[in-house]
Amino acid sequence: MLHRVVFADGRWLDLKLVADAGEVPGDGLWVDGSLSSVDLPDGAAGAPTLPQLHAEVAQVRFLGAYALAKAARDDQLIGAHLLLEAAREVLVRGMQLRDRDLGTTIHRHGGPRNQVWREVQQGLGQPLPEAVVAVVGQHEQLAAELWDDHRVDLSGLNGLARRLQG
């Protein structure tokens, strides 16, 4: 299982967690060019755990970070494309919430949750870096409403946005 840990300053660390030492390539895991491994016995006290993210949340966070990276390189075209993908996911979460609220996936008339679109429009009306933070933040809020185990965390994205501004 691959996990990406994004730090507040925008750096990230990719971790591959394996259940069996036989799945580790060679003698251990590569870290900064050197070989090392960590042995964590099952149920060990204090063993670090990574929060489980819904795939949709991880995808939108990645899109946001990638869009900010493109904005930092003055690639507005690709950055905006990535932002629009994230905005589409916001609309999907809104539709999922509407379906849950109404108990159906068949809607003869709209109405409930239409404000999600208006909020997406407001976010998209800002310069690219601010729009990314707004849209991903909206996705985080809707994900928290949709999934009880989701915790809103914009620290990594805000760190990237600060670096872009500075």
Side-chain angles (χ1 to χ4, degrees):
M1 179 179 295
L2 187 64
H3 291 277
R4 175 163 286 166
V5 178
V6 180
F7 299 97
D9 66 359
R11 294 175 299 131
W12 73 83
L13 177 66
D14 288 329
L15 302 172
K16 183 175 183 185
L17 305 180
V18 295
D20 184 342
E23 297 178 44
V24 178
D27 293 330
L29 302 175
W30 288 99
V31 178
D32 293 330
S34 61
L35 206 53
S36 67
S37 65
V38 178
D39 185 25
L40 298 173
D42 290 338
T49 59
L50 295 173
Q52 291 294 319
L53 286 179
H54 292 271
E56 298 88 346
V57 172
Q59 177 67 16
V60 170
R61 286 182 182 181
F62 174 78
L63 288 169
Y66 198 22
L68 286 178
K70 290 299 181 180
R73 295 184 180 118
D74 194 30
D75 192 343
Q76 303 290 311
L77 186 61
I78 293 177
H81 170 76
L82 295 165
L83 172 61
L84 290 174
E85 282 189 55
R88 180 183 177 278
E89 289 300 313
V90 172
L91 299 174
V92 170
R93 298 299 84 74
M95 289 185 292
Q96 288 175 317
L97 284 164
R98 180 178 70 178
D99 291 349
R100 184 191 70 185
D101 294 348
L102 297 177
T104 183
T105 58
I106 300 169
H107 307 284
R108 289 179 176 248
H109 304 284
R113 301 281 179 172
N114 281 342
Q115 79 277 4
V116 170
W117 167 236
R118 289 188 290 277
E119 292 166 4
V120 166
Q121 286 177 301
Q122 286 177 322
L124 293 175
Q126 302 177 61
L128 186 57
E130 291 86 352
V132 168
V133 173
V135 168
V136 174
Q138 186 180 6
H139 187 268
E140 289 281 324
Q141 294 296 327
L142 293 174
E145 192 176 342
L146 188 59
W147 299 300
D148 292 336
D149 62 342
H150 178 68
R151 300 294 170 256
V152 173
D153 183 4
L154 290 171
S155 59
L157 195 66
N158 284 329
L160 283 173
R162 280 192 301 275
R163 287 182 70 184
L164 180 58
Q165 294 168 347

